[in-house]
Amino acid sequence: MRTIDLFAAGALCIVPSSLLAADEVSVERGLYISIIGGCHFCHTEGYREADGKIDPEKALKGSSIGWQGPWGTTYAANLRDSAMGFNEDKWVDHLKNKVNLPPMPWYQVQAMSDGDLRSIYLYIKSLGPAGELAPFYREPGKAPRTPYVTLVPPQTPKK
Ligand code: HEC
């Protein structure tokens, strides 16, 4: 089996190239990347509770559970709706340059290959109607109107 050396990329492992196939662009690869990239963890409601089973009705429609921290309260966006605003080429440009508020791991998305981003686009487009948007961002100090997760490290008492 051919392998790709990821030492150069800073990862201390050898991964079979058949699992990477960065040049392939397909809905199936998009699904695969969305799983290993952890996108459903935040962007698909019920995913964590269902131990990683993707509800096709809810897949990547975003979440109404907020993430609160010093940046305010953010909501994992409805990616079906986001993708509607772009064609495949523009989507790749957009994701390569977009910086989001926490906890969105935009730096992981920026590290993806064009083939990865195109495949995610095809997968999102295959999912069906966008449905409702996720709740709107709340500024710091403004109380969220939805359930939310707090991501503030506990303060260590000063001696
Ligand atoms: C830990 C939670 C989390 C994970 C994991 C995550 N996201 Fe997000 N994502 C968010 C949040 C929260 C936002 C909204 C951030 C903001 O308001 O700036 C967001 C926003 C986005 C946006 C911007 C949408 C728009 O319309 O502006 C895109 C695109 C996106 N995520 C794609 C992805 C992809 C692709 C993955 C998987 C590789 C992923 N996200 C994984 C939480 C997450």
Side-chain angles (χ1 to χ4, degrees), residues 15-16 18-21 26-40 54 116 119-120 123:
V15 176
S18 55
L19 293 182
L20 288 174
S26 68
V27 172
E28 292 71 28
R29 183 166 170 78
L31 166 64
Y32 168 73
I33 293 163
S34 72
I35 293 170
I36 61 160
C39 315
H40 297 280
I54 301 167
D116 292 342
S119 296
I120 289 183
Y123 169 57

Side-chain angles (χ1 to χ4, degrees), residues 37-39 42-43 74-77 79 82 98 100-101 103-105 109 112:
C39 315
C42 295
H43 288 273
T74 47
Y75 294 87
L79 297 184
S82 306
K98 188 150 171 69
N100 290 103
L101 291 172
M104 169 61 205
V109 172
M112 288 180 182

Side-chain angles (χ1 to χ4, degrees), residues 53-115:
K53 199 165 172 293
I54 301 167
D55 177 347
E57 173 55 33
K58 297 192 172 145
L60 301 186
K61 273 186 173 171
S63 171
S64 58
I65 299 174
W67 296 94
Q68 192 186 57
W71 56 86
T73 307
T74 47
Y75 294 87
N78 180 333
L79 297 184
R80 299 192 196 185
D81 182 78
S82 306
M84 278 169 59
F86 300 95
N87 65 25
E88 202 181 300
D89 289 341
K90 294 251 164 64
W91 172 259
V92 173
D93 283 353
H94 180 63
L95 264 64
K96 287 248 171 209
N97 294 300
K98 188 150 171 69
V99 171
N100 290 103
L101 291 172
M104 169 61 205
W106 52 267
Y107 28 82
Q108 284 173 221
V109 172
Q110 286 197 3
M112 288 180 182
S113 71
D114 284 16

Side-chain angles (χ1 to χ4, degrees), residues 11 51 84 93 101 105 124 143 153 155-156:
D51 293 332
M84 278 169 59
D93 283 353
L101 291 172
I124 295 173
Q155 301 292 311
T156 349

